[in-house]
Amino acid sequence: WMFRWPDALAAEQSLKSAMSNESSHVKARVIFTDLIPYADKIRGKGVADLFLDTPEYNAHGTATEVLSGGVPVLTLPGAKAHS
């Protein structure tokens, strides 16, 4: 998912143009969406049953938002500052 930033529409068009030769399957996997209010964003993350975090580079703010939506997060502790 890609956010559609009002001041970056040229970048969106550039990416779509770069994908013009890709298959429809590939094109369908890149989705642009308008920005939504924060409360709706949190509510949307609450539809998941479980959030699986990556062990190499953890979710940070995304995990916090998912937890705020009432979804449990499964993660592994790491030895690096970013994990």
Side-chain angles (χ1 to χ4, degrees):
W1 292 87
M2 307 283 290
F3 286 124
R4 179 175 288 121
W5 295 96
D7 57 345
L9 294 177
E12 179 181 337
Q13 291 304 317
S14 179
L15 182 56
K16 287 179 177 178
S17 177
M19 292 189 321
S20 64
N21 293 329
E22 298 294 334
S23 70
S24 59
H25 175 73
V26 171
K27 290 179 195 176
R29 295 183 64 178
V30 179
I31 300 168
F32 288 91
T33 184
D34 293 325
L35 296 174
I36 58 174
Y38 187 74
D40 292 342
K41 179 179 172 184
I42 297 299
R43 193 171 20 264
K45 291 184 187 216
V47 300
D49 294 319
L50 178 67
F51 181 84
L52 301 175
D53 197 5
T54 60
E56 196 56 38
Y57 194 85
N58 294 73
H60 301 284
T62 303
T64 302
E65 292 173 349
V66 169
L67 287 168
S68 295
V71 177
V73 175
L74 180 61
T75 190
L76 296 171
K80 300 175 186 172
H82 60 269
S83 62

